[in-house]
Amino acid sequence: MTRRTATPSTTATSTGGATGAPEGTGWVSFVGSGPGDPGLLTVRALDLLRDADVVVTEAPDHELLVRSALGIPTPTVVKDADGVETVVDTAPTFVDGGFGEDGQPLTHAARAKVVLKHARSGARVVRLMTGDPFLYASGPEEAQACVKAGIGFEIVPGVSSATAVPAYAGIPLTTRNHREVTVVACTDKVDWNAYADGRTLVLLSSVGPIAEVASALVAAGRAATTPVAMTRVGTTTEQVTVTSTLEHIAADARAARIQPPAVTVVGEVVDLRETLSWFETKPLFGWRALVPRTKDQAGALSARLRGYGAVPEEVPTISVEPPRNPQQMDKAVRGLVEGRYEWIAFTSVNAVRAVREKFEEYGLDARAFSGLKIAAVGDKTAEAIAAWGLRADLVPSGEQSAAGLLEDWPEYDDVLDPINRVFLPRADIATENLVAGLVDKGWECDDVTAYRTVRAAPPAAPVRDAIKTGKFDAVVFTSSSTVRNLVGIAGKPHPSTVIAVIGPATAKTAEEHGLRVDVMAPSPSMEALVDALADFGATRRLGLLESGQPVTKPSDRKASARRKVSN
């Protein structure tokens, strides 16, 4: 991979007086990654990660966070004509700064040595740190090591868990009546008598010693009924908050099996969570949603699911490949350029992609469509056409399907239409109904296989087990082929799993495979499908609350242990 070597920013830098990186040396950017939600990365952090040669991580999920934020896929293996395999990866080099080769946690000094090693080689190094580099982190020690070594650096603040996690739990740290807040790292050296007043406390590293801390605060004078909230893995869709009091928090946290990392808030502000909880009350919060789609088309759907609080898991069921015999497609594209067709009808985004790739292969561009009328089966296909710099002349006014397109398609008129031929690039398994309907309207059709849809390899055994045993809360089907292929490679989803489909045809296929359809999109788009699933989740949640039952997920088929977990 070729990387540009731009001059580092001189904002907030220090080299013992220098304002930029010395010639021939590396550069270190200490970047706060925030508390976990990739959306909380700063714009400056993203810019530096894009330009980095080396990223020294701190947490196990940092590499995934960087790849997700920058849209970098996992490494792939490519074979050349001789069968030689090459690993293709456009990501920077990731170096584990959390643990050494022996598996032991690295000290601040050891981490600094790792950072300096790569910086001295001339690399642009991003030292990615959880939260904020200068707030309860090793940033100061490592930055001082850079100063001593003469390596230039900059500090990019990150969103701290001390403020972000309570916010995601719906707990304001200050209000009109509570104006003072103190952040305390729970260690053996803390004198809890100093915090006997009514100020709000934010406790870090508090899970293990919470019983001793709570007892010490009560002994210092705090009321045993003082509200307490402990939030685990805050700002992520696995976030869990337990609300209690100083008297009972240790037992309640233990019953809820709260594990680090967690942030604890002590004070009257915790009571506001009952009305201000916004993150954990999302309609699909914590739902594990299976997305069986073509791998390169799952991103937008998964992003929308995350927006509603779900945890999407993409499982490729379909691989889109070129046709076995490309000659038919080559002939049709030549005919398009030569003016053989009056219309071209795109019935999918994949069809648009296939024709565009063939154009690029021939060195053509959108100008070759001059004088040609363009039809699109729906809005998404029309958007793909528009991204090419073209405009669809015909999009169904009603149902966005081949039937809807045929409903609006004009009859052939030998006076108004100089040519009576239509180019229809499609999948190898596409329906013949559109072709037959066009012929009935007087048009001749060149029905051309532009791409093939091939069943993907089965997912890993744990995923197949999760599908069959109901560990997924929902499955989102976007076509009949995703239904057939998922059942074929992984088996039928468990009856407890919510089945959401994009339209009537997909619903029929699901029912033919013995699945109960719970949600159907009002219009055939990914946005409408996810919105419909979210409406289902919201209605389900409201029903549970109105009946006095705890809010659970479809996969929660067993009674929970005794605990007070608020949603």
Side-chain angles (χ1 to χ4, degrees), residues 374-452:
I374 304 172
V377 75
D379 293 335
K380 284 300 176 184
T381 304
E383 289 174 11
I385 294 169
W388 198 358
L390 301 168
R391 182 179 62 83
D393 299 282
L394 175 62
V395 180
S397 57
E399 180 184 334
Q400 296 195 348
S401 65
L405 184 61
L406 194 60
E407 183 74 22
D408 290 349
W409 197 286
E411 298 276 350
Y412 171 68
D413 189 316
D414 58 2
V415 175
L416 299 177
D417 299 309
I419 306 169
N420 72 334
R421 190 170 294 274
V422 177
F423 174 24
L424 179 60
R426 62 169 179 83
D428 57 329
I429 58 173
T431 177
E432 306 294 333
N433 294 344
L434 180 57
V435 176
L438 289 173
V439 171
D440 288 344
K441 287 177 176 283
W443 297 92
E444 293 185 15
C445 239
D446 279 359
D447 186 19
V448 179
T449 299
Y451 62 95
R452 292 182 299 128

Side-chain angles (χ1 to χ4, degrees), residues 29-30 132 295 431 484 496 505:
S29 300
F30 293 95
D132 182 274
K295 185 62 177 176
T431 177
R484 289 189 292 267
S496 67

Side-chain angles (χ1 to χ4, degrees), residues 148-160:
K148 186 176 180 180
I151 299 294
F153 70 90
E154 65 181 315
I155 305 298
V156 180
V159 177
S160 173

Side-chain angles (χ1 to χ4, degrees), residues 9 45 58 62 87 94 118 136 142 164 217 247 273 427 504 511:
S9 166
E58 185 166 271
H62 268 171
V87 177
F94 290 99
H118 291 283
Y136 297 99
E142 295 180 37
L217 286 172
E247 183 179 11
R273 169 177 162 78
E511 290 167 351

Side-chain angles (χ1 to χ4, degrees), residues 167-201:
Y168 271 59
I171 301 171
L173 297 183
T174 59
T175 66
R176 180 181 302 174
N177 299 321
H178 303 87
R179 297 180 178 273
E180 189 174 355
V181 59
T182 300
V183 180
V184 185
C186 298
T187 67
D188 296 337
K189 299 179 181 179
V190 176
D191 179 8
W192 295 106
N193 290 309
Y195 307 109
D197 52 20
R199 83 184 90 168
T200 300
L201 299 180

Side-chain angles (χ1 to χ4, degrees), residues 194-244:
Y195 307 109
D197 52 20
R199 83 184 90 168
T200 300
L201 299 180
V202 178
L203 308 180
L204 306 180
S205 303
S206 58
V207 176
I210 190 61
E212 293 77 10
V213 170
S215 296
L217 286 172
V218 172
R222 288 253 185 171
T225 55
T226 301
V228 180
M230 182 178 285
T231 302
R232 180 182 179 275
V233 289
T235 78
T236 75
T237 48
E238 296 177 4
Q239 175 176 311
V240 173
T241 300
V242 174
T243 55
S244 184

Side-chain angles (χ1 to χ4, degrees), residues 31-37 40-41 62 65 129-132 158-161 235:
V31 175
S33 69
D37 182 352
L40 297 181
L41 279 168
H62 268 171
L65 181 147
M129 312 185 86
T130 301
D132 182 274
V159 177
S160 173
S161 61
T235 78

